[in-house]
Amino acid sequence: MSSEATQRLQSGDGTEDSTQRGCTSWLLISVVVLTVTTAFVFGWGLGAPNMYNKYTEPFLKGEDPCVVKTVASTAAPLALDNQNVVERYDPGNNELRKDGDDNVNAEGRPLSDPIKEPFSFVVELVKGIPQTVFLIGAFIGAVTGPIWPAHFDRKRTVFANYIFCFASSLCVLLSAYLGKAWLFYLSRLLLGYQGGMACVIVPPFIGEISSQRVRGAAGAAFQLALTIGILIAQVVGLPSIAGTCTGWGWGLAIVFLLPLAGLFLLFLLPNSPTQMITKYNDEEQAVKDLKKLRGTSNVHADLDILRDQSRQNSGNKTESLSIPQVIASARYRWPMLVTVILQLSQALSGINAVFFYSSKMFEKAGISDSNIPYANIGTGAINVIATIFSVLLIEKLGRRALVIYPMAVMVAVFGVLTVLVQLNESRNSSTLGLVSVVFILIFIVCFAVGLGPIPFLFGSEVCRPEARDSVQSLGLVANYLGNILLSLFFPALNSILGGYVFLIFLVLVLINVIFLWFKMPETKNKTIEDAERFWKIPAAPSTKEASLLSPANA
């Protein structure tokens, strides 16, 4: 990039320089449509299943989800759950009680707790299979994600993404009505693919249509939409809405309405100016889209940057690099590695353990069964509020500070949670349970302001256009591998270790934050060249690398 273009990025009042334009109406509309129809859907897939576990678990065993069994020392009667009421048999008093009532019978005598099922590692492993299938789909979506923009423009890849949501919703509805468990698993696989693919194609799209001045805030909107999707899915899953033995199918499927609206709205949006110039050599369309996005006819600053990027890549048309090509090139090693560590930090931070198995965690913390759904919603609400603050702060404090310092706080929180939950195992204190929940909420805030949004946008800020999709994909592969392991083994580890399970997350977060302290550059209002100088990457590819990265070797 020329020194003049770089200087324009770092100075100016935003009136002459199109790279310093703020959030225009078309940029806002574009970001809202792109995130609500993709990231929101992914968040729904993450948050909704936890609200229906008591129905989907028996359904997947071939049992009627409207018939609830309890485990007691003697045979217990079965009760229909159409009114979302569970009757439990008390062997000590030969009485029945309803969940949500005080733990006494009609005469005011205390009821003994039902006997718990003995721990089984295999049973706990099986309970995590639906979320594991979802994450396997996301993993496949992340791996194959770069294929889509290699063959289609950015808008067409989003259209393709919608198809997987439609297919998933159809499968889960058919599963609920036909009683076919395999359709449920297929639905989870398809929606997982939608989410993994969306994480590869949408953040770079948003980065390429955003001005340098608001690129971080616009990129954080992806995570914000995802967290809102989790929250709304939790609200819809309440017993008064879709959280019933007959409504869970619609509760999981209804999210298809958003991509349905997106089919019509996406036609109105501008395409990626970066892709129009570097991939299709269509400067006329790029100028048209830039004028629409920036709200001004003077877009020369943006055009100069895109032309410089195209020239530096040895030609007017840049082919996207494959994952093996990116891995083989020393030029992309540090951008790739730091992006991967950021995504892995997000996965292994423990946040998805909170949302996948929040009910079990709140039970461990001493929250009553009747209040657990509302505690789940509370975590979702805190996550959304904290992510909103992240959008507001990301252009003020920068990416590095919002990642590293909250991660350091998370290490301390995990240490405190270990002590609190272990104490509560023996004391069963409601006070300790409440304090534990407060620290869980502190953890969610720390995650939401940094590790939540920044890994999705960081790769786009430090990678050149030709490597952007593959580096994003590699980061997400690491993310989903971590989440797959977490979804498989966390229920069993939580049962075996109790509060000590938080020590695992403490160690993982500590290792990652030390690495990022030394190797993560600040990207706020910086160019790709600034990041490359931080990593001491040469200004131009060597002759050998240029040959390796040429389209003929793709």
Side-chain angles (χ1 to χ4, degrees):
M1 184 183 297
S2 67
S3 59
E4 292 181 28
T6 303
Q7 185 177 6
R8 280 198 299 271
L9 284 174
Q10 298 174 338
S11 63
D13 58 7
T15 57
E16 296 287 333
D17 187 348
S18 58
T19 67
Q20 297 300 301
R21 297 282 292 179
C23 184
T24 62
S25 58
W26 272 110
L27 177 59
L28 179 62
I29 292 169
S30 299
V31 170
V32 169
V33 171
L34 290 172
T35 57
V36 168
T37 59
T38 59
F40 184 101
V41 174
F42 188 29
W44 191 282
L46 288 169
N50 190 53
M51 305 301 291
Y52 310 108
N53 280 339
K54 66 179 179 180
Y55 305 119
T56 56
E57 285 181 6
F59 171 80
L60 294 174
K61 295 176 185 177
E63 301 170 0
D64 185 349
C66 290
V67 177
V68 179
K69 298 178 181 179
T70 56
V71 180
S73 59
T74 59
L78 303 181
L80 289 178
D81 195 30
N82 287 325
Q83 300 301 319
N84 215 41
V85 175
V86 181
E87 292 184 330
R88 292 184 179 176
Y89 182 69
D90 175 54
N93 295 312
N94 294 320
E95 295 277 348
L96 293 174
R97 71 178 176 88
K98 295 180 179 180
D99 271 359
D101 295 339
D102 293 334
N103 195 29
V104 296
N105 62 13
E107 299 175 359
R109 288 181 288 129
L111 296 175
S112 58
D113 292 329
I115 297 175
K116 294 182 179 180
E117 295 182 31
F119 171 75
S120 168
F121 182 83
V122 175
V123 170
E124 294 296 333
L125 201 63
V126 169
K127 287 180 180 178
I129 288 178
Q131 286 292 19
T132 303
V133 170
F134 177 82
L135 290 170
I136 289 172
F139 174 83
I140 298 171
V143 171
T144 61
I147 296 174
W148 297 94
H151 293 87
F152 305 102
D153 63 44
R154 293 291 187 194
K155 285 173 65 172
R156 286 189 174 91
T157 61
V158 177
F159 277 120
N161 184 259
Y162 294 163
I163 296 172
F164 295 96
C165 177
F166 297 147
S168 172
S169 293
L170 179 61
C171 285
V172 76
L173 287 175
L174 290 174
S175 172
Y177 283 105
L178 299 178
K180 302 294 184 181
W182 69 269
L183 282 170
F184 180 89
Y185 288 117
L186 179 58
S187 168
R188 298 298 295 156
L189 186 72
L190 289 168
L191 197 59
Y193 187 94
Q194 178 276 331
M197 176 185 171
C199 291
V200 173
I201 65 173
V202 176
F205 191 176
I206 293 174
E208 289 170 2
I209 64 175
S210 303
S211 68
Q212 191 83 14
R213 180 180 169 189
V214 296
R215 187 182 59 199
F222 185 87
Q223 178 69 10
L224 177 59
L226 190 150
T227 60
I228 294 173
I230 293 173
L231 176 60
I232 300 302
Q234 291 170 334
V235 173
V236 171
L238 287 173
S240 57
I241 305 177
T244 66
C245 64
T246 57
W248 62 268
W250 278 104
L252 291 170
I254 199 170
V255 73
F256 81 91
L257 293 175
L258 293 174
L260 184 63
L263 287 176
F264 304 97
L265 295 174
L266 202 58
F267 282 107
L268 305 175
L269 304 186
N271 217 321
S272 164
T274 301
Q275 197 182 49
M276 289 298 104
I277 288 181
T278 61
K279 183 177 178 64
Y280 297 108
N281 196 23
D282 188 352
E283 187 167 309
E284 182 180 351
Q285 182 63 45
V287 170
K288 180 179 177 182
D289 290 333
L290 278 171
K291 288 179 177 180
K292 196 172 187 179
L293 288 163
R294 302 294 180 261
T296 178
S297 59
N298 183 3
V299 293
H300 294 297
D302 275 296
L303 281 174
D304 286 347
I305 292 172
L306 295 179
R307 288 167 181 159
D308 283 347
Q309 288 179 353
S310 182
R311 282 194 296 269
Q312 287 180 15
N313 287 296
S314 304
N316 293 324
K317 184 178 179 180
T318 303
E319 297 292 340
S320 296
L321 300 179
S322 66
I323 290 176
Q325 285 176 299
V326 169
I327 293 174
S329 171
R331 183 172 189 78
Y332 304 107
R333 191 162 297 156
W334 278 115
M336 175 191 66
L337 186 58
V338 178
T339 300
V340 166
I341 294 299
L342 268 174
Q343 290 283 5
L344 196 60
S345 299
Q346 186 190 85
L348 299 180
S349 67
I351 187 64
N352 283 335
V354 172
F355 288 116
F356 287 170
Y357 306 106
S358 55
S359 296
K360 301 182 193 308
M361 293 182 74
F362 284 129
E363 184 181 356
K364 284 279 187 184
I367 304 299
S368 64
D369 289 348
S370 59
N371 288 327
I372 282 177
Y374 300 97
N376 287 334
I377 291 174
T379 63
I382 293 294
N383 197 18
V384 170
I385 293 169
T387 306
I388 291 173
F389 276 103
S390 175
V391 173
L392 300 175
L393 293 174
I394 198 167
E395 297 297 354
K396 298 182 184 301
L397 301 181
R399 287 55 153 163
R400 180 181 162 87
L402 285 178
V403 167
I404 290 177
Y405 296 120
M407 284 180 71
V409 175
M410 288 162 62
V411 171
V413 167
F414 283 136
V416 174
L417 279 174
T418 301
V419 175
L420 289 174
V421 175
Q422 274 305 113
L423 283 175
N424 209 23
E425 286 286 323
S426 57
R427 300 186 182 183
N428 198 25
S429 166
S430 59
T431 301
L432 286 175
L434 180 60
V435 175
S436 298
V437 170
V438 169
F439 275 92
I440 288 174
L441 295 179
I442 293 172
F443 160 74
I444 291 173
V445 170
C446 291
F447 173 88
V449 297
L451 272 183
I454 291 172
F456 290 112
L457 63 94
F458 182 82
S460 298
E461 293 186 322
V462 296
C463 292
R464 294 184 176 276
E466 71 276 7
R468 198 165 283 162
D469 295 310
S470 290
V471 169
Q472 187 83 354
S473 178
L474 284 167
L476 290 166
V477 166
N479 188 305
Y480 296 131
L481 279 176
N483 276 315
I484 288 169
L485 293 174
L486 192 67
S487 69
L488 274 175
F489 295 109
F490 179 79
L493 290 173
N494 192 32
S495 297
I496 294 170
L497 300 176
Y500 292 118
V501 74
F502 293 112
L503 291 179
I504 298 174
F505 298 124
L506 185 154
V507 172
L508 292 171
V509 172
L510 181 60
I511 292 172
N512 289 328
V513 77
I514 291 172
F515 173 86
L516 294 172
W517 175 267
F518 291 103
K519 292 300 180 182
M520 180 182 178
E522 178 56 66
T523 59
K524 183 188 76 169
N525 208 23
K526 302 287 186 180
T527 65
I528 293 172
E529 287 79 7
D530 291 328
E532 290 177 342
R533 280 191 289 272
F534 175 88
W535 288 312
K536 298 180 173 59
I537 297 172
S542 66
T543 304
K544 182 178 179 181
E545 282 187 338
S547 174
L548 173 67
L549 300 178
S550 66
N553 292 321

